[in-house]
Every structure is written in C-alpha cells, then in structure tokens.
Amino acid sequence: MLPTTIAPSPAVPASGIPHAEGVSNDEFRAAMSRLAAGVVLVTAHDPDDGPRGEDVGMTATAFMSVSLDPPLVLVSLRNGSRMDDLLTEVPVWAVSLLAESQRHIAGRFAMKGRISDRLLFADVPWTRGEVSGAPLMGGALATLECRTENRVVSGDHTLVIGRVLTAALPTTDGGPLTYFKGKYRHLG
C-alpha cells in the first residue's frame, strides 16, 4: 500500500477571511477590477419626490446587452440603493452610455452620501426622454429608454432587466469612458 499524502490546507490570505467557497471580498474585488467595463449613467424620474418630482441618477459599470430580439439590457443595482428602491416603483428608466469626455459626470453621480440629485443635474446638458421622462445626458455616445421586464435579486445586488423602448446615437465624437483597476479611463 502506498503512503497517502495530505495536502496542506491553504493559508488564510492577509486580504481577508475567505467565504465558505474560498474567496474573500478583497480577493474577488481585486480580480474583478481587472475587467474593463463601460461606464453608464442610469437615470429615472421620481414623480413622488416634491411638487414636480426629482430626477435621480447613478453611475454604473455593471451594464450589458442581454438580447437582440426582444432588445433587452441588464443593470446591476446595490440592494437598498436609492435607484434600486426607485426602480421597484417606477417602471421606466434611461441609460446614457458615457463618452470619455464625461468622466466628471460619472464621478459626481458615483458619490456616496449625497443629499439630493437635483444639484448634480444642474450644470450638465441633458434632455428629458419622451418615453421614460428620465434625463438623457447630452454628449453621450448613445442613450436608451427602458421599461423593467424582470428583477432578479442575487446576493447583495438586484439585476434589473429592461426592454429597450428607444435608442439614440446623439454623438459619435470620441471614445467610450471605461473603468479599469478602480479608475475611469479612456481607450487609446
């Protein structure tokens, strides 16, 4: 009979205690930071906030095309975030695919702990979507207006699948704004 060898158990990484499946939050975050992603601004109009309602926006990098027929997209929203709560109530919303020149817009709508989105929209060019009533950013590479088809809670996020109701290409100047290794970047 051959002697059996017992493999040593892996050491707990200094970056945190692994989940039962073996990867820590820090390890997962570091690995995923190496996946370049496009940057979008997700917007919606909250008709119940104030006398005229309020426009709400959120920077997202977890956005993708799902289907061509019918045209569907998916955005991942942190559970309990203002946008997640709003899209539970409001069925229509919009997405602006940001250009590399719109890094400042991505940064301002990614701020945590802001009191109101009203000021964030104050000095950036935008138009109101005809179908969704949500802001569409001027200078974006493309804009979409969507209606929620499905919501799937997955871990600490909700995957919102939207049917694309309108698609426009307001500008073709410049390249896309991307996010890589924790920073906004441009191709080139």
Side-chain angles (χ1 to χ4, degrees), residues 3-186:
T4 58
T5 306
I6 299 174
S9 59
V12 174
S15 62
I17 298 172
H19 293 271
E21 293 79 20
V23 65
S24 72
N25 291 351
D26 292 341
E27 289 171 320
F28 182 66
R29 187 177 291 116
M32 295 312 297
S33 77
R34 271 117 177 119
L35 176 64
V39 182
V40 302
L41 184 69
V42 179
T43 56
H45 182 74
D46 183 354
D48 297 330
D49 191 349
R52 289 176 283 160
E54 184 174 18
D55 296 314
V56 177
M58 179 199 92
T59 301
T61 56
F63 177 79
M64 63 182 278
S65 168
V66 173
S67 170
L68 183 60
D69 187 16
L72 300 174
V73 293
L74 177 148
V75 64
S76 180
L77 305 175
R78 188 177 67 256
N79 294 340
S81 67
R82 182 166 186 203
M83 188 62 73
D84 179 42
D85 292 344
L86 181 56
L87 293 191
T88 300
E89 304 295 324
V90 176
V92 289
W93 42 281
V95 178
S96 297
L97 284 66
L98 298 181
E100 60 192 359
S101 64
Q102 295 178 306
R103 180 184 300 204
H104 65 289
I105 294 172
R108 77 168 48 179
F109 284 94
M111 290 186 307
K112 299 202 185 308
R114 59 186 190 256
I115 297 170
S116 169
D117 284 12
R118 193 174 318 269
L119 296 175
L120 300 180
F121 285 104
D123 64 345
V124 294
W126 60 273
T127 59
R128 190 163 303 283
E130 291 183 27
V131 174
S132 66
L136 303 170
M137 290 296 106
L141 297 178
T143 60
L144 308 171
E145 291 182 272
C146 306
R147 181 185 66 235
T148 299
E149 291 277 308
N150 199 1
R151 295 174 56 87
V152 179
V153 176
S154 188
D156 59 2
H157 278 64
T158 297
L159 308 177
V160 179
I161 299 169
R163 181 180 294 252
V164 178
L165 304 173
T166 69
L169 306 172
T171 184
T172 56
D173 293 340
L177 182 61
T178 58
Y179 194 72
F180 181 69
K181 289 188 174 181
K183 294 183 181 176
Y184 296 117
R185 315 231 183 201
H186 60 87

